[in-house]
Amino acid sequence: MIELSPRLSRIKLSPSTMAAQRVRELKAAGRDIIGLTIGEPDFDTPAHVKQAVIDAMNRNETKYPPIDGIPSLKQAVQRKFTRENGLDFALDQIMVGTGSKQILFNTFQATVSAGDEVIIPAPYWISYLDMTLVADGTPVVVNCGIESGFKITPNQLESAITKKTKWLLINSPGNPSGAIYSRSELQALAEVLRRHPQVWVLSDDIYEHLRFDGVEFCTMAQVAPDLADRTLTVNGVSKAYAMTGFRLGYAAGPKALIGAMIKMQSQSTAGVNSLSQWAAVAALEGPQEFLADRAAAFQERRDRLLELLNNVPGMTCDRPQGAFYLFPRCEGLLGRRTPSGKTLESEQDLVLYLMDEGGVAVVQGEAYGLSPHLRISIASSLENVVEAGRRISSAVAALR
Ligand SMILES: Cc1ncc(COP(=O)(O)O)c(C=O)c1O
């Protein structure tokens, strides 16, 4: 076996991907499991997007694309930012990557050096941590519990900043909490950032279109235009347009930063799959009305599952304002005994119990930096989500 780089030992495989794999194995073995582990819309990719791929193929759009993105897509992204966010970017301030995941990876590889600190409010999307570590950076995790609505406060931000702070990561609507930062909350964070010119802010807006109850969406570049020269706005088509497999994300920010990220990408994947780029043009330039219908479907699932979970003694569930996860606190279930006499010592025990005895697969909060919680994805049919809620209730009712 070849000797592996020490870099590799700093990172891990995604717990939700591993849980999803376990669900597939159990289902293949004939078990009745409802898998609510994955962050992927269950809807189909829209028909006009599929057609755009066929058309692009027939036009022979199959050659190496430009590293930063085909002009038509960069223009579509430019128009998206103007239309939806009131943000004006020049084309050399925009780039396209293989998923917003690669955009984030490029960002950290291009900007983070040993000793640089990255402020990550917890709960967080796990990859922020691993990507910081693989770039030799130091994650500074700030605990943002249910009491503060899972959001970092200006005081917490002020105390977390040091001379070495490079980035603050904001993810709104957030995975796994579903929390959304209001305009005034972002303004208050911007006020802190103004006192610390060394700190850059990365806004991961991938769940922008998945919002409930008419809550407004704001992004840092919009509310604090004076911070534009140190703000990176990241988004993509995966979640809104049910296009996870196309692997297409994009970013806009200062020209020099985007240039550095393009340089980094030029030595990894280079340009994004040409057909995915044409698909994304169709998604961003095509009809947008269905986005609200899909968000409404997620909202109904949220409401139905919340109703069931809030009647489960020992669980407390905040009402997520967006994204497609519920993140109940489950402290009251730890220490209880299962019908077979096993004490639930940890979140992990609870997750295994719900999977083995309840027939529902969810992910432990620890994977997202905040315990004891469970992340329950509602990116599954209403029927599945409701049945999962019932199964969780009965499994908990059987505890002693
Ligand atoms: C918060 C957040 N950001 C980014 C991503 C990456 O999305 P993609 O690479 O599909 O654009 C995800 C996916 O789960 C996510 O939850």
Side-chain angles (χ1 to χ4, degrees):
M1 172 66 184
I2 193 165
E3 194 180 329
L4 300 175
S5 145
R7 200 180 304 123
L8 199 69
S9 63
R10 280 183 241 148
I11 59 171
K12 56 195 163 312
L13 289 171
S14 148
S16 59
T17 311
M18 286 193 299
Q21 177 57 27
R22 178 94 185 108
V23 172
R24 275 192 290 271
E25 286 164 10
L26 288 171
K27 278 186 173 168
R31 291 282 307 280
D32 170 22
I33 302 274
I34 302 179
L36 300 182
T37 57
I38 213 160
E40 165 166 81
D42 52 313
F43 295 111
D44 287 337
T45 301
H48 64 280
V49 171
K50 294 181 194 164
Q51 188 58 49
V53 177
I54 296 166
D55 295 345
M57 182 80 95
N58 288 335
R59 289 198 309 275
N60 290 310
E61 304 275 9
T62 53
K63 302 291 197 293
Y64 281 131
I67 292 155
D68 56 334
I70 55 172
S72 299
L73 179 54
K74 290 184 65 173
Q75 284 155 9
V77 169
Q78 187 182 44
R79 283 194 281 269
K80 177 263 179 264
F81 277 120
T82 309
R83 179 179 74 232
E84 295 179 351
N85 311 108
L87 293 171
D88 291 320
F89 292 105
L91 288 179
D92 59 8
Q93 293 185 285
I94 292 172
M95 77 169 295
V96 173
T98 301
S100 60
K101 194 163 194 175
Q102 187 184 27
I103 293 281
L104 291 159
F105 195 82
N106 291 336
T107 312
F108 294 133
Q109 289 296 320
T111 62
V112 174
S113 317
D116 285 346
E117 295 175 357
V118 176
I119 299 179
I120 307 176
Y124 47 70
W125 180 47
I126 188 73
S127 295
Y128 297 145
L129 200 88
D130 291 278
M131 287 190 199
T132 302
L133 291 169
V134 90
D136 293 333
T138 306
V140 174
V141 173
V142 177
N143 227 299
C144 307
I146 203 165
E147 346 44 77
S148 60
F150 301 112
K151 292 181 261 192
I152 190 168
T153 65
N155 283 342
Q156 284 179 310
L157 175 60
E158 185 71 64
S159 331
I161 291 176
T162 71
K163 287 197 182 67
K164 293 179 175 169
T165 308
K166 195 78 172 244
W167 286 102
L168 161 68
L169 302 191
I170 299 281
N171 173 217
S172 169
N175 172 8
S177 70
I180 295 185
Y181 286 81
S182 69
R183 185 176 292 270
S184 60
E185 285 165 342
L186 288 177
Q187 270 158 352
L189 295 177
E191 209 41 57
V192 176
L193 294 173
R194 288 188 184 102
R195 293 195 283 275
H196 302 280
Q198 80 281 19
V199 184
W200 287 57
V201 56
L202 187 155
S203 184
D204 178 348
D205 299 350
I206 192 84
Y207 293 98
E208 170 179 7
H209 288 291
L210 292 151
R211 298 190 315 282
F212 313 136
D213 312 318
V215 174
E216 185 194 20
F217 173 78
C218 292
T219 187
M220 193 56 101
Q222 215 179 7
V223 302
D226 58 312
L227 301 182
D229 59 355
R230 49 186 171 115
T231 301
L232 183 70
T233 307
V234 178
N235 210 323
V237 295
S238 289
K239 313 285 180 178
Y241 301 94
M243 290 174 64
T244 45
F246 285 81
R247 309 307 305 121
L248 195 130
Y250 53 86
K255 180 179 162 188
L257 172 61
I258 294 291
M261 290 159 60
I262 293 169
K263 185 173 175 188
M264 188 56 69
Q265 184 163 296
S266 75
Q267 292 303 353
S268 58
T269 53
V272 177
N273 175 318
S274 56
L275 300 175
S276 292
Q277 297 204 50
W278 286 106
V281 172
L284 294 175
E285 303 270 74
Q288 304 294 313
E289 296 71 29
F290 70 93
L291 297 177
D293 299 340
R294 290 184 173 186
F298 282 118
Q299 180 171 327
E300 186 181 2
R301 298 172 191 178
R302 176 205 63 174
D303 291 344
R304 296 285 298 278
L305 187 57
L306 256 183
E307 204 180 303
L308 290 163
L309 295 188
N310 278 333
N311 283 320
V312 173
M315 265 194 193
T316 323
C317 198
D318 216 28
R319 175 174 288 261
Q321 295 180 303
F324 38 59
Y325 312 99
L326 263 61
F327 196 59
R329 193 171 162 79
C330 53
E331 196 168 18
L333 301 181
L334 302 187
R336 308 267 303 271
R337 267 190 311 128
T338 69
S340 57
K342 183 176 173 1
T343 304
L344 300 177
E345 310 276 5
S346 64
E347 271 174 352
Q348 185 60 34
D349 290 344
L350 177 59
V351 165
L352 286 177
Y353 171 67
L354 292 177
M355 176 127 80
D356 291 339
E357 305 299 326
V360 180
V362 298
V363 187
Q364 65 277 16
E366 188 205 347
Y368 307 92
L370 197 73
S371 296
H373 280 264
L374 299 176
R375 189 189 81 160
I376 309 178
S377 167
I378 52 169
S380 189
S381 69
L382 180 63
E383 196 187 13
N384 272 349
V385 166
V386 169
E387 174 59 17
R390 291 200 184 110
R391 289 185 183 190
I392 293 172
S393 305
S394 336
V396 169
L399 294 173
R400 281 172 274 161

